[in-house]
Amino acid sequence: MKQVKGGVTAPKGFKATGVDAGIKNNTKKDMAMIYSDAPCSVGGTFTTNLVKAAPVKWDSKVVYETKSAQAVIVNSGVANACTGEEGYGYCVEMAKETAALLKIPYETVLVASTGVIGKQLPMDSIKKGISMMPDKLGSTLEDGTLAAEAIMTTDTVSKETAVEITIGGKTVTIGGMCKGSGMIHPNMATMLCFVTTDAAIESGLLLQTVQEIVADTFNMISVDGDTSTNDTLVVLANGLSGAPKITKDSGDYQVFYEALYHILEELSKKIAGDGEGATCLFEAQTIHAKTKEQAKILSKSVITSSLTKAAIFGHDANWGRILCAMGYSGADFEPELVDIYFESEAGKLKIVENGCATDYSEAKATEILSEKHVKAILDIKQGDAHATAYGCDLTFDYVKINADYRS
Amino acid sequence: MKQVKGGVTAPKGFKATGVDAGIKNNTKKDMAMIYSDAPCSVGGTFTTNLVKAAPVKWDSKVVYETKSAQAVIVNSGVANACTGEEGYGYCVEMAKETAALLKIPYETVLVASTGVIGKQLPMDSIKKGISMMPDKLGSTLEDGTLAAEAIMTTDTVSKETAVEITIGGKTVTIGGMCKGSGMIHPNMATMLCFVTTDAAIESGLLLQTVQEIVADTFNMISVDGDTSTNDTLVVLANGLSGAPKITKDSGDYQVFYEALYHILEELSKKIAGDGEGATCLFEAQTIHAKTKEQAKILSKSVITSSLTKAAIFGHDANWGRILCAMGYSGADFEPELVDIYFESEAGKLKIVENGCATDYSEAKATEILSEKHVKAILDIKQGDAHATAYGCDLTFDYVKINADYRS
């Protein structure tokens, strides 16, 4: 597996672009399009929130019923959530307008929206944006970046990654882009992730693979514990690499699995580290757990604890909050057995041994916690399973971003 | 039921005081004592956190095994949590020192600590504090207030309340004090609540009553979602009112139940409204639910949503976040049926009807949300059950209080 430059246009046969359609009250890009030269197998996962945005309902049909997709149309600025039948109609209209211009069936167009909840889409701007994009579609890495930039809301950086693997002597590429814990002045943290690959793999196997990997990557991140109405992750595979088809029993499957895992892990870490107002990526790894499920519950409880997140912002080795968050997680463990370490580029320090404080240096702990990527290791000494969750610190800027008036 | 002045010393036969024992790095009071002239029936509930502070372990024995108590000794500044066997030994020592001076069995002394986790108690200061208090114990309302002030940490106001009821022609009083979502620069939000009454009621019935009421009051508040290691709530009943003994089948039971419910509801609202950094009490009431459990889950999900809490701080009628928090709560309901209202002293406004925005005035909504006590009413139109949860807004000060370095 080789890390390469680019995002959704890195694999063969994918084009993309991003434009300013005038949806947002500024001059930033707000619409993106991805197009594949050939119909794609498709896999995806969507929000588990009972309140689902219109595009989530539409995309679920594409992924679970059509099982094939050839284009993606995305807008930022308005989430098209809590918009009733009118909103769903606009979503289908987005698919139809896009399909007509690209001359593909509208059932194969994935739609995504992110931004303010409860507002109807400004369809004039949307249609203008859609009409601008087919001519601009391009296959360079820069075209991919235009798309990645157009889906940003309060993200501070665009998020792309790509890798190459070899299958049957052919180079297969996987590329992805996502947007995270941003809000449109201010609304739901809405996660969108689009991954493209020129691998050949059937939709059924792709879906199963995506769901398995998402459980360990995207479902292990949290910025504020609020599960969005719009969360969407889709993987498109167009098979244009010329590599043999990947089947579950082939040795190639493991190679593809690891590459896709890497892409989704990288993208999910980018989202956590760029959480609203965040100054650092905060990772909690539970080791020596009885089961992976137990390790996941403990790790996730720590990275979602407001008190722990505020302490990380203050570079404060407040381990009592970590042990407390483990204690109320619902997972069974022995508090008296727990060791806790802090680790970052500045070093590694054992803070707690068997449930009580070690004689550690507060100065060294603060030094470790002052880095951009901070890790807490929770050794519960019960078995061989482990799991990691990714979050960020809780800062003044998180409150500022989310307390401001809409308008 | 009549609201009266005072707290734990309002009922007959209870004395209290609070002193500065030098535990905290300031000149504020940090130890409190409550004493009853007669042995008391006792009921209580404690943290469900797997990591339990030493005093929680000790008090559980008093409530579930001794089933009788005559005094309470409390310190603020150090939580005596994650302190191992040494810490438990100090806790028992606190009970023994107090018992010796008050000439009562040490198994009837309840102990509570609140403050920094992981530090051992400064036993010299603790013993000094205990020795100061028996001579100062008094039965005036001011003596009760001294105790209420001594258990504060980052609380901004002391919290007391009392009511009178009539049972068998006799006046029965219930009084209480609590401390809430404060931290000792900075540590666990640690809730402590002590209620006294001169009613005559057996420990078994008292315990059952307390647990039933706590499920609807204290267990429905949240400041930051972090369940403390030290949460303790105990009710002491000394029977000195001279009123007949309350039994489950007597008509008096309902009178007592409602009065105790009122006391616990008032105290829990005081804690929520004085949450760390809070500028307002934020209440979510779900109405027309199928079951009370469903109503509780929905109400609690709304008041614990960081995004919703930040919007309330910004006086922003961001109802999308409320509907979103209902959607991921795990409770089943029909998003398309939901009506949402905002209510406060400034008025009441329907914001959402059948899952979509009404044509409401943003200015009026902001006016309503600018009050000190703000309520969201969630009408899910499915049945007759209802439940209310109490929280507060998420503010810059919450982050500031919890990000500061310990020291």
Side-chain angles (χ1 to χ4, degrees):
Chain A
M1 179 164 41
K2 191 177 127 200
Q3 183 81 40
V4 295
K5 287 197 175 154
V8 291
T9 52
K12 281 201 188 78
F14 283 96
K15 298 190 178 76
T17 194
V19 298
D20 174 6
I23 300 168
K24 296 182 194 167
N25 292 334
N26 57 34
T27 58
K28 286 187 182 161
K29 289 186 284 294
D30 49 23
M31 288 198 77
M33 188 180 276
I34 306 174
Y35 171 75
S36 167
D37 291 339
C40 300
S41 302
V42 63
T45 59
F46 304 98
T47 184
T48 55
N49 197 312
L50 211 61
V51 180
K52 293 182 205 304
V56 164
K57 294 177 189 170
W58 171 259
D59 288 355
S60 299
K61 285 175 68 167
V62 176
V63 169
Y64 301 126
E65 293 173 22
T66 311
K67 294 180 187 169
S68 172
Q70 196 163 356
V72 184
I73 180 79
V74 194
N75 75 277
S76 54
V78 177
N80 198 3
C82 303
T83 46
E85 285 180 25
E86 186 183 350
Y88 189 73
Y90 290 153
C91 171
V92 177
E93 215 174 319
M94 282 176 75
K96 287 186 173 170
E97 293 272 329
T98 304
L101 291 170
L102 296 175
K103 301 186 176 57
I104 56 175
Y106 77 92
E107 299 89 345
T108 67
V109 177
L110 291 155
V111 180
S113 300
T114 173
V116 178
I117 284 193
K119 267 180 69 174
Q120 296 293 350
L121 289 172
M123 285 306 286
D124 287 349
S125 300
I126 295 276
K127 286 182 188 173
K128 191 185 90 184
I130 292 174
S131 70
M132 288 162 73
M133 286 191 283
D135 288 346
K136 291 188 191 286
L137 284 170
S139 56
T140 67
L141 299 187
E142 289 70 28
D143 293 313
T145 300
L146 289 178
E149 289 169 353
I151 63 173
M152 290 166 66
T153 51
T154 50
D155 303 64
T156 64
V157 288
S158 64
K159 301 171 179 72
E160 298 179 279
T161 190
V163 292
E164 278 179 11
I165 49 178
T166 304
I167 291 183
K170 299 277 185 181
T171 297
V172 167
T173 307
I174 309 180
M177 69 177 190
C178 62
K179 60 94 37 188
S181 35
M183 318 271 253
I184 284 293
H185 203 61
N187 242 283
M188 303 310 310
T190 308
M191 198 285 294
L192 299 178
C193 178
F194 305 97
V195 175
T196 55
T197 178
D198 45 22
I201 181 170
E202 279 181 7
S203 289
L205 181 56
L206 185 58
L207 179 60
Q208 185 191 324
T209 307
V210 167
Q211 288 178 336
E212 212 175 306
I213 296 176
V214 163
D216 287 344
T217 55
F218 274 91
N219 286 352
M220 291 300 283
I221 64 175
S222 178
V223 169
D224 48 20
D226 283 278
T227 303
S228 159
T229 49
N230 288 51
D231 289 345
T232 298
L233 181 149
V234 285
V235 182
L236 301 171
N238 67 9
L240 294 180
S241 62
K245 183 176 273 191
I246 295 162
T247 59
K248 181 97 195 213
D249 306 323
S250 69
D252 297 331
Y253 180 71
Q254 197 52 35
V255 175
F256 177 76
Y257 185 98
E258 282 169 19
L260 185 58
Y261 192 103
H262 175 80
I263 291 289
L264 294 184
E265 189 180 39
E266 282 301 302
L267 291 174
S268 55
K269 283 164 78 169
K270 280 175 197 278
I271 287 180
D274 191 31
E276 282 183 325
T279 69
C280 78
L281 171 64
F282 173 47
E283 191 176 328
Q285 181 184 37
T286 302
I287 60 173
H288 296 130
K290 263 182 287 191
T291 64
K292 189 168 191 176
E293 191 54 27
Q294 179 195 29
K296 279 185 166 187
I297 292 170
L298 289 168
S299 297
K300 225 170 163 178
S301 187
V302 170
I303 61 127
T304 52
S305 154
S306 294
L307 288 172
T308 303
K309 288 156 59 87
I312 295 296
F313 173 50
H315 307 154
D316 179 12
N318 203 320
W319 58 270
R321 294 178 179 177
I322 291 181
L323 203 52
C324 175
M326 295 170 70
Y328 66 68
S329 68
D332 192 36
F333 69 102
E334 299 284 337
E336 294 76 16
L337 289 182
V338 175
D339 292 355
I340 300 177
Y341 303 79
F342 282 125
E343 188 179 13
S344 75
E345 285 198 354
K348 183 175 175 178
L349 198 60
K350 188 189 249 189
I351 306 281
V352 171
E353 190 170 270
N354 295 323
C356 292
T358 62
D359 188 24
Y360 67 90
S361 149
E362 288 280 359
K364 182 66 191 172
T366 295
E367 191 193 333
I368 290 172
L369 294 177
S370 301
E371 295 289 322
K372 282 282 175 201
H373 181 177
V374 167
K375 188 171 175 177
I377 301 167
L378 323 167
D379 186 349
I380 63 170
K381 303 179 195 162
Q382 295 196 313
D384 292 320
H386 59 91
T388 304
Y390 303 96
C392 59
D393 52 347
L394 175 61
T395 69
F396 295 119
D397 280 353
Y398 177 83
V399 178
K400 184 165 170 29
I401 292 167
N402 290 304
D404 279 353
Y405 293 86
R406 290 159 302 165
S407 70
Chain B
M1 178 163 44
K2 189 177 128 198
Q3 184 81 40
V4 295
K5 286 196 176 158
V8 292
T9 53
K12 282 201 187 77
F14 283 97
K15 299 189 177 77
T17 194
V19 298
D20 175 6
I23 299 167
K24 297 182 193 168
N25 292 333
N26 57 33
T27 57
K28 287 187 180 158
K29 289 187 284 295
D30 48 23
M31 287 198 80
M33 188 180 276
I34 306 174
Y35 171 75
S36 167
D37 291 339
C40 300
S41 301
V42 62
T45 58
F46 303 98
T47 183
T48 55
N49 197 313
L50 211 62
V51 180
K52 292 182 206 304
V56 165
K57 294 177 188 170
W58 171 259
D59 288 354
S60 300
K61 284 175 68 168
V62 175
V63 170
Y64 301 126
E65 294 172 23
T66 310
K67 295 180 186 168
S68 171
Q70 196 163 356
V72 184
I73 179 78
V74 195
N75 75 277
S76 54
V78 177
N80 199 4
C82 302
T83 46
E85 285 180 24
E86 187 183 351
Y88 189 74
Y90 291 152
C91 172
V92 177
E93 216 174 318
M94 282 176 75
K96 287 187 172 169
E97 293 272 330
T98 303
L101 291 170
L102 297 175
K103 300 187 177 56
I104 56 175
Y106 77 94
E107 298 89 344
T108 66
V109 177
L110 292 155
V111 180
S113 299
T114 173
V116 178
I117 284 194
K119 266 179 72 174
Q120 295 294 349
L121 289 172
M123 285 307 287
D124 287 349
S125 301
I126 294 277
K127 286 182 188 172
K128 191 185 90 187
I130 293 174
S131 70
M132 289 162 72
M133 286 190 283
D135 288 345
K136 291 186 191 288
L137 284 169
S139 57
T140 67
L141 300 187
E142 289 70 28
D143 292 314
T145 302
L146 289 177
E149 289 169 352
I151 64 174
M152 290 166 66
T153 51
T154 49
D155 301 65
T156 65
V157 289
S158 63
K159 300 170 180 73
E160 297 179 279
T161 190
V163 292
E164 279 179 11
I165 49 178
T166 305
I167 291 184
K170 300 276 184 184
T171 297
V172 167
T173 307
I174 309 180
M177 68 177 190
C178 63
K179 57 96 35 185
S181 37
M183 319 271 255
I184 286 292
H185 204 60
N187 243 283
M188 302 311 310
T190 307
M191 197 286 293
L192 299 178
C193 178
F194 306 97
V195 175
T196 55
T197 178
D198 45 22
I201 181 169
E202 278 181 7
S203 289
L205 180 56
L206 186 57
L207 179 60
Q208 185 191 324
T209 308
V210 167
Q211 287 176 338
E212 211 175 306
I213 297 176
V214 163
D216 287 343
T217 55
F218 274 91
N219 286 353
M220 290 301 284
I221 65 174
S222 178
V223 169
D224 48 19
D226 282 276
T227 304
S228 160
T229 49
N230 288 51
D231 289 345
T232 297
L233 181 150
V234 285
V235 181
L236 301 171
N238 67 8
L240 294 180
S241 61
K245 184 175 271 191
I246 295 163
T247 58
K248 181 96 194 214
D249 306 325
S250 69
D252 299 330
Y253 180 71
Q254 197 52 35
V255 176
F256 177 75
Y257 186 98
E258 281 169 19
L260 186 58
Y261 192 103
H262 176 80
I263 291 288
L264 295 184
E265 189 180 37
E266 282 302 302
L267 291 174
S268 56
K269 282 163 81 169
K270 281 176 195 277
I271 288 180
D274 191 32
E276 281 183 324
T279 68
C280 79
L281 170 64
F282 173 49
E283 191 176 328
Q285 182 183 37
T286 302
I287 59 173
H288 296 130
K290 263 181 289 191
T291 64
K292 189 169 192 176
E293 191 53 27
Q294 179 197 29
K296 281 185 165 186
I297 292 170
L298 289 168
S299 296
K300 225 170 164 178
S301 187
V302 169
I303 60 126
T304 51
S305 154
S306 294
L307 288 172
T308 303
K309 287 155 61 87
I312 296 296
F313 173 51
H315 307 154
D316 179 13
N318 202 321
W319 58 271
R321 294 178 180 175
I322 292 181
L323 203 52
C324 175
M326 295 169 72
Y328 66 68
S329 69
D332 193 32
F333 69 103
E334 299 284 337
E336 293 76 15
L337 289 183
V338 175
D339 291 355
I340 299 176
Y341 303 78
F342 282 126
E343 187 179 14
S344 75
E345 287 200 352
K348 183 175 174 177
L349 198 61
K350 188 188 245 188
I351 306 281
V352 171
E353 190 169 270
N354 296 324
C356 292
T358 62
D359 189 23
Y360 66 90
S361 149
E362 288 280 0
K364 182 67 190 169
T366 296
E367 191 194 334
I368 290 173
L369 295 177
S370 300
E371 294 290 323
K372 283 283 177 199
H373 181 176
V374 167
K375 188 171 176 178
I377 301 167
L378 323 167
D379 186 349
I380 64 170
K381 302 179 196 163
Q382 296 196 312
D384 292 321
H386 59 90
T388 303
Y390 303 96
C392 58
D393 53 347
L394 174 61
T395 68
F396 296 120
D397 280 354
Y398 176 85
V399 178
K400 184 164 168 35
I401 291 168
N402 290 304
D404 278 356
Y405 294 87
R406 289 160 304 168
S407 72

